[in-house]
């Protein structure tokens, strides 16, 4: 497919959906009007597979007969088929750049003409039930679509929405039946920008995927630590990391492991990303006052055994979660920290008393995502002497001291992807999780009580057997799961 076909289409939009494009008052910061800019190719545009962008190109190619409804449907289908987790519609001076986040990296795929920008945004607002006459305020919503069976590709080609963010394994049950199509929830955020309204769509599966700790990439030692922690009747299990690192997927996997008929599980989330049978899930609603803190107070009157709080965002939620764990409940939640050891000082910053942290937190799981090497074009890569020297300088101390000539240190060969049609020429397909699991034991509890720094807690955890994120990454690179470049990108981003 010629990529230029996507970018060189001018559309007369007054007839595209049977009514003129919606008008709105000019914003005070609206840029000066210019003559329509000539269409041009986007630099370094990604090369989507033909089947992924066929419908999108077809709809854009209809000119005056373009249907905005079909165009939006094609956009969602294209994103799903390309294993994208997010769709960005970024308005620019010369058009609206359509970008897909595939395996955690944004890729430009199309330039939609400015003339239909407002109609596309209006269609998204209608689907989400938002105000179509509001153009100067941020709006959030969601809608559900059922894709045509043609969009639901094979497990090998598509994976699933969450697996595109955390694609470390799959089963037959984790894919919608191709004959039935695929149901996808789309979370939408629309905000006003200089050149018009910007929209970001997050694609969510409507069913919990069949992940296990093994398929999520946990090592046998880390799996054993986590399984011991969830067998305790009370306490806190915290998953930490930046946005998009797979924390929610890890929590859902643990909830599914704990979901048995003899326990009551209640979750409060924003949003509910998966529907899991057998548990009660509550959606945060700030308009009605249903926040994480208020919802957690109400949940305690529902006689739960296990509680999952989507995120600890503030002091109220942190204090309630800790006290809930202290009164005999098992609490699972997430925190936005860079690594597992920083979790404990972060709770101190939220005004949680050190003795409460030491007595309630069972385990902290730090994680990141790196792109996996495409198995179809995977090849061995011999490091040059210069690369070997650079690696030895940045090699983590715990690896270097373990023996420079072992499986990692001093290794002259790793792996990379040459690029093929299946991985769209990138050499990567899917993503894998890197983890560090810190068990809160005696020495760490003592460090918490004296309000030790994160670096001191990290040193103690390493002496107690914790493997850091970087060490786990180097091991996975040596196994051929990912590349050294990805591990270093994760380390320095």
């Amino acid at each position: 497919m010629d990529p230029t076909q996507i970018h060189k289409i001018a559309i007369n939009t007054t007839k595209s959906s049977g009514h003129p494009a919606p008008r709105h008052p000019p914003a005070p910061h609206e840029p000066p009007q210019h003559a329509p800019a000539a269409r041009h190719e986007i630099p370094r545009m990604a090369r989507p597979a033909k089947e992924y962008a066929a419908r999108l190109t077809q709809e854009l190619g209809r000119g005056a007969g373009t249907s905005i409804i079909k165009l939006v449907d094609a956009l969602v289908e294209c994103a799903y088929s390309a294993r994208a987790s997010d769709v960005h519609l970024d308005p620019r001076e010369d058009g609206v750049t359509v970008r897909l986040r595939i395996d955690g990296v944004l890729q430009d795929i199309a330039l939609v003409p400015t003339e239909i920008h407002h109609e596309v945004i209006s269609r998204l607002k209608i689907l989400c039930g938002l105000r179509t006459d509001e153009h100067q305020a941020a709006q959030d919503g969601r809608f559900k679509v059922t894709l045509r069976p043609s969009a639901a590709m094979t497990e090998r080609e598509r994976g699933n929405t969450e697996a595109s963010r955390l694609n470390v394994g799959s089963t037959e049950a984790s894919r919608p039946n191709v004959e039935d199509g695929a149901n996808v929830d789309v979370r939408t955020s629309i905000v006003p920008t200089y050149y018009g309204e910007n929209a970001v769509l997050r694609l969510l599966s409507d069913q919990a995927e069949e992940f296990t700790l093994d398929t999520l990439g946990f090592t046998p030692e880390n799996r054993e630590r986590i399984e011991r922690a969830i067998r305790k009747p009370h306490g806190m299990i915290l998953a930490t990391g930046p946005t998009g690192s797979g924390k929610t997927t890890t929590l859902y996997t643990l909830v599914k492991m704990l979901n048995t008929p003899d326990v009551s599980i209640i979750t409060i989330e924003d949003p509910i990303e998966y529907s899991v049978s057998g548990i009660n899930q509550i959606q945060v609603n700030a308009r009605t006052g249903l926040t994480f803190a208020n919802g957690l107070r109400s949940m305690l009157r529902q006689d739960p055994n296990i509680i999952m709080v989507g995120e600890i965002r503030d002091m109220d939620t942190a204090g309630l979660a800790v006290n809930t764990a202290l009164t005999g409940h098992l609490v699972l939640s997430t925190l936005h920290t860079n690594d597992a050891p920083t979790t404990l000082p972060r709770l101190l910053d939220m005004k949680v008393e050190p003795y409460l942290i030491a007595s309630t937190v069972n385990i902290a799981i730090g994680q990141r995502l790196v792109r996996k090497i495409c198995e179809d074009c995977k090849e061995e890569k011999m490091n040059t002497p210069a690369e070997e020297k650079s690696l030895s300088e940045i090699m983590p101390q715990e690896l270097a001291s373990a023996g420079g000539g072992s499986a990692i240190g001093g290794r002259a060969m790793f792996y990379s992807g040459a690029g093929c049609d299946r991985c769209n020429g990138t050499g990567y397909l899917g993503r894998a999780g890197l983890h560090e699991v810190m068990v809160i034991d005696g020495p760490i509890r003592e460090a918490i009580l004296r309000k030790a720094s994160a670096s001191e807690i990290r040193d103690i955890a390493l002496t107690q057997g914790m493997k850091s994120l970087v060490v786990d990454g180097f091991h996975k690179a040596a196994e051929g799961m990912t590349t050294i470049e990805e591990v270093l990108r994760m380390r320095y981003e």
Side-chain angles (χ1 to χ4, degrees):
M1 178 182 68
D2 181 8
T4 61
Q5 294 176 358
I6 299 180
H7 304 280
K8 295 182 177 179
I9 300 169
I11 301 178
N12 179 0
T13 61
T14 57
K15 301 180 181 180
S16 61
S17 58
H19 55 79
R23 301 177 60 86
H24 59 87
H29 57 272
E30 185 172 354
Q33 299 298 317
H34 300 284
R39 300 296 178 205
H40 62 276
E41 288 192 37
I42 299 176
R44 301 178 61 184
M45 172 188 168
R47 183 171 49 88
K50 291 183 179 180
E51 59 269 23
Y52 294 161
R55 282 194 64 203
L56 184 61
T57 307
Q58 181 182 5
E59 292 303 329
L60 286 173
R62 294 184 185 277
T66 296
S67 166
I68 299 300
I69 295 176
K70 292 182 178 179
L71 179 62
V72 173
D73 291 346
L75 181 62
V76 175
E77 178 181 307
C78 175
Y80 179 89
S81 300
R83 302 177 301 105
S85 60
D86 301 89
V87 181
H88 289 238
L89 300 177
D90 299 333
R92 301 287 186 263
E93 183 178 5
D94 58 345
V96 180
T97 304
V98 180
R99 301 193 291 171
L100 304 183
R101 187 177 294 279
I102 302 174
D103 295 335
V105 178
L106 283 171
Q107 302 179 14
D108 296 344
I109 66 158
L111 186 65
V112 174
T114 303
E115 293 80 8
I116 64 172
H117 175 212
H118 297 313
E119 291 191 335
V120 172
I121 296 297
S122 293
R123 172 60 181 167
L124 293 174
K125 289 180 178 179
I126 291 171
L127 289 172
C128 297
L130 304 177
R131 290 184 56 182
T132 58
D133 61 342
E134 177 59 73
H135 303 282
Q136 301 303 321
Q139 299 190 74
D140 296 328
R142 63 192 300 165
F143 62 94
K144 179 178 288 188
V145 295
T146 300
L147 301 180
R148 302 187 312 172
S150 60
M153 311 190 71
T154 65
E155 171 66 25
R156 177 176 179 179
E157 292 172 316
R158 172 59 176 87
N160 50 70
T161 302
E162 180 66 20
S164 70
R165 301 196 294 272
L166 186 58
N167 190 4
V168 295
S170 57
T171 62
E172 290 298 327
S174 67
R175 279 289 294 120
N177 190 306
V178 172
E179 296 180 357
D180 297 335
N183 294 319
V184 180
D185 280 334
V186 183
R187 189 175 70 193
T188 306
S189 173
I190 300 174
V191 297
T193 64
Y194 187 76
Y195 286 107
E197 291 178 284
N198 183 90
V200 176
L201 315 180
R202 166 65 60 88
L203 275 63
L204 305 170
S205 172
D206 66 342
Q207 294 293 327
E209 311 300 342
E210 296 297 327
F211 289 122
T212 64
L213 293 180
D214 184 38
T215 59
L216 289 180
F218 286 94
T219 63
E221 296 81 7
N222 287 339
R223 288 201 305 271
E224 183 180 352
R225 295 187 180 103
I226 294 174
E227 288 168 355
R228 283 201 306 267
I230 65 176
R231 282 196 293 265
K232 295 181 178 180
H234 55 82
M236 291 184 69
I237 298 173
L238 298 175
T240 70
T243 300
S245 59
K247 301 184 299 295
T248 303
T249 299
T250 299
L251 289 190
Y252 271 111
T253 301
L254 298 181
V255 165
K256 289 183 62 181
M257 294 172 62
L258 294 166
N259 188 16
T260 57
D262 58 336
V263 298
S264 171
I265 302 177
I266 304 179
T267 74
I268 181 164
E269 309 168 55
D270 185 23
I272 297 175
E273 296 198 13
Y274 298 125
S275 173
V276 182
S277 62
I279 69 174
N280 298 311
Q281 298 172 270
I282 301 173
Q283 168 71 53
V284 167
N285 189 339
R287 292 181 180 178
T288 62
L290 184 56
T291 62
F292 279 114
N294 292 336
L296 189 51
R297 290 189 184 95
S298 300
M299 290 162 63
L300 293 177
R301 296 190 287 270
Q302 295 286 316
D303 187 32
N305 299 103
I306 300 167
I307 293 174
M308 186 184 101
V309 181
E311 181 183 350
I312 296 178
R313 295 179 177 175
D314 50 46
M315 291 186 291
D316 288 343
T317 307
L320 283 169
V322 169
N323 282 285
T324 300
L326 196 63
T327 55
H329 301 84
L330 185 63
V331 178
L332 293 79
S333 190
T334 68
L335 270 177
H336 285 276
T337 62
N338 290 330
D339 52 28
T342 311
T343 302
L344 308 178
R346 173 64 176 146
L347 290 175
L348 288 174
D349 292 340
M350 292 183 172
K351 308 304 180 183
V352 180
E353 293 295 333
Y355 72 91
L356 291 176
I357 301 173
S359 57
T360 56
V361 180
N362 295 337
I363 199 169
I365 306 168
Q367 58 188 75
R368 290 288 197 283
L369 297 179
V370 293
R371 290 182 292 176
K372 293 175 60 179
I373 301 173
C374 175
E375 293 294 334
D376 283 10
C377 59
K378 182 177 177 180
E379 62 184 14
E380 295 179 349
K381 175 185 176 183
M382 298 298 296
N383 291 333
T384 64
E387 290 173 333
E388 283 299 306
K389 182 179 179 181
S390 298
L391 279 178
S392 64
E393 293 174 353
I394 63 176
M395 188 75 66
Q397 184 63 34
E398 52 265 45
L399 278 181
S401 60
S406 62
I408 308 295
R411 185 184 181 94
M413 183 185 69
F414 286 93
Y415 300 88
S416 65
C420 63
D421 289 340
R422 184 187 172 201
C423 65
N424 201 21
T426 63
Y428 297 100
L429 187 67
R431 290 201 281 176
L434 306 183
H435 307 94
E436 59 182 14
V437 178
M438 184 177 69
V439 178
I440 313 303
D441 53 13
I444 294 180
R445 286 193 175 95
E446 293 176 3
I448 297 171
L449 291 174
R450 65 173 186 269
K451 298 185 178 181
S453 65
S455 59
E456 183 179 348
I457 294 175
R458 167 174 286 279
D459 292 338
I460 296 173
L462 291 175
T463 61
Q464 297 296 109
M466 183 188 81
K467 302 297 182 184
S468 69
L469 289 167
V470 176
V471 170
D472 191 34
F474 272 95
H475 278 290
K476 285 183 168 66
E479 295 168 0
M481 181 179 293
T482 187
T483 63
I484 288 292
E485 290 80 6
E486 276 295 290
V487 175
L488 298 179
R489 181 178 67 88
M490 177 276 300
R491 180 183 183 185
Y492 292 112
E493 68 178 7

